[in-house]
Amino acid sequence: MVWSERQRRMLQEMGIRLWAPVAADAVADPSPTAAPAPAPAPANVRLSPAPAAPGAAAASQQAESNDDPGDDPGRAAAIAQLAWAPLREAVAACTACGLCKERRQTVFGVGHPSAHWMIVGEAPGEQEDRLGEPFVGPAGQLLDNMLRALRLTRADAPAAQQVYIANTLKCRPPRNRNPEPLEMARCEPFLQRQIELVRPRLILAMGRFAVQALLRSDQPIGKLRGQVHRYQGVPLVVTYHPAYLLRNPADKARSWDDLLLAAQVADEASQAAATAANVKLA
Ligand code: SF4
């Protein structure tokens, strides 16, 4: 396969080595010295704060222990009614599972509130817990490179270019252990509401726990990638988590294929939205 100049630039941004028979001087140098420079620190995009809303308090109160079922059937319904500011407030005050005890802070999400692309990761790590933003550190830099390859960004930009990024869990599991099912279940209404508010044209689910939460599937990423799924009607593409790719660089090429599929689906969704808008105007 012969890569176009644009595709070669995109692959270089992701640090993907080219195996295709392209001209020698056009092949990305896989040596560490040729790796793309780390992306500049992303703009810390925040939604504007608002006064406390009654629903926020109701949504954040719950059992503080994973041993206490404390299920409140009204909690998910309350969260489903929240606008952005009270939703953020509810997450910040949430004690619905035991993860609240060891967190430094919750990690809500960043990006355009009406982004066309929504990126869903897994759970905050040490740096995210410290900084309050998802996907920071080396995995975040790789994600930024992947986004840049698609002409997307987490920094301030129009909805078609600026993504929205959220994790499945809003609090860091101690010592980065795997999330427990009950923790994921109690946190899920927050992510659901974020997706409802953003109403993205495409969801990119990165990593096993994001996929489990959104697709209710225990199948490995390798079995689920390469096809278009749906989450509440929104097209969803599955790919590897950037932290996994840092440990398994050979899978970056597969991840690139996933990004191309996601870009194609997002383009089709945008064309359909434009056609529908034109029909309305006619
Ligand atoms: Fe609440 Fe989610 Fe944090 Fe658990 S992980 S305390 S459900 S915000």
Side-chain angles (χ1 to χ4, degrees), residues 10 32 43 61 76 81 98 118 127 145 152 189 191 194 204 222 244:
M10 288 179 174
Q61 286 169 0
Q81 301 300 316
M118 184 156 175
Q127 297 193 59
N145 288 343
L152 298 170
L191 177 63
Q194 286 175 302
L204 186 64
Y244 167 87

Side-chain angles (χ1 to χ4, degrees), residues 60 63 66 75 90-101 103 106 168-172 182-188 190:
S60 61
N66 288 355
R75 177 173 171 266
V91 168
C94 182
T95 56
C97 80
L99 294 182
C100 66
K101 292 178 181 169
R103 71 185 178 212
T106 54
T168 306
L169 277 183
K170 310 306 185 200
C171 301
R172 180 194 181 199
L182 188 133
E183 293 160 354
M184 290 180 60
R186 291 207 176 141
C187 216
E188 187 178 330
F190 293 131

Side-chain angles (χ1 to χ4, degrees), residues 22-150:
V22 294
D25 60 352
V27 175
D29 184 347
S31 68
T33 54
N44 205 353
V45 183
R46 302 284 178 225
L47 297 162
S48 56
S60 61
Q61 286 169 0
Q62 179 77 316
E64 293 185 16
S65 159
N66 288 355
D67 301 326
D68 176 0
D71 287 334
D72 175 1
R75 177 173 171 266
I79 291 172
Q81 301 300 316
L82 297 178
W84 275 117
L87 181 65
R88 175 185 286 279
E89 207 173 290
V91 168
C94 182
T95 56
C97 80
L99 294 182
C100 66
K101 292 178 181 169
E102 296 194 42
R103 71 185 178 212
R104 285 195 181 108
Q105 60 187 311
T106 54
V107 179
F108 182 74
V110 292
H112 200 293
S114 304
H116 293 187
W117 284 63
M118 184 156 175
I119 315 293
V120 177
E122 300 188 319
E126 194 275 331
Q127 297 193 59
E128 286 86 359
D129 178 60
R130 189 161 45 81
L131 298 172
E133 177 158 340
F135 285 100
V136 295
Q141 286 175 5
L142 178 56
L143 175 64
D144 288 340
N145 288 343
M146 295 162 87
L147 294 177
R148 194 178 305 124
L150 294 163

Side-chain angles (χ1 to χ4, degrees), residues 101-267:
K101 292 178 181 169
E102 296 194 42
R103 71 185 178 212
R104 285 195 181 108
Q105 60 187 311
T106 54
V107 179
F108 182 74
V110 292
H112 200 293
S114 304
H116 293 187
W117 284 63
M118 184 156 175
I119 315 293
V120 177
E122 300 188 319
E126 194 275 331
Q127 297 193 59
E128 286 86 359
D129 178 60
R130 189 161 45 81
L131 298 172
E133 177 158 340
F135 285 100
V136 295
Q141 286 175 5
L142 178 56
L143 175 64
D144 288 340
N145 288 343
M146 295 162 87
L147 294 177
R148 194 178 305 124
L150 294 163
R151 303 287 186 264
L152 298 170
T153 176
R154 75 167 88 190
D156 202 12
Q161 280 88 47
Q162 186 186 7
V163 300
Y164 189 87
I165 307 175
N167 275 327
T168 306
L169 277 183
K170 310 306 185 200
C171 301
R172 180 194 181 199
R175 294 164 296 286
N176 294 344
R177 66 158 168 76
N178 287 342
E180 293 177 4
L182 188 133
E183 293 160 354
M184 290 180 60
R186 291 207 176 141
C187 216
E188 187 178 330
F190 293 131
L191 177 63
Q192 270 180 0
R193 186 59 182 153
Q194 286 175 302
I195 294 173
E196 282 167 11
L197 288 169
V198 174
R199 289 199 284 170
R201 295 178 183 181
L202 174 97
I203 298 171
L204 186 64
M206 304 189 106
R208 178 158 63 105
F209 295 107
V211 168
Q212 280 181 10
L214 295 172
L215 295 184
R216 300 257 186 275
S217 172
D218 285 333
Q219 288 203 296
I221 301 282
K223 289 246 189 259
L224 294 168
R225 53 173 294 278
Q227 49 190 305
V228 181
H229 305 270
R230 296 248 158 204
Y231 176 82
Q232 296 186 353
V234 181
L236 183 153
V237 171
V238 166
T239 195
Y240 299 103
H241 194 281
Y244 167 87
L245 292 174
L246 290 174
R247 296 190 304 271
N248 302 274
D251 277 333
K252 281 185 178 178
R254 290 192 181 89
S255 177
W256 172 242
D257 288 341
D258 299 334
L259 296 187
L260 289 181
L261 173 62
Q264 181 191 331
V265 173
D267 281 351

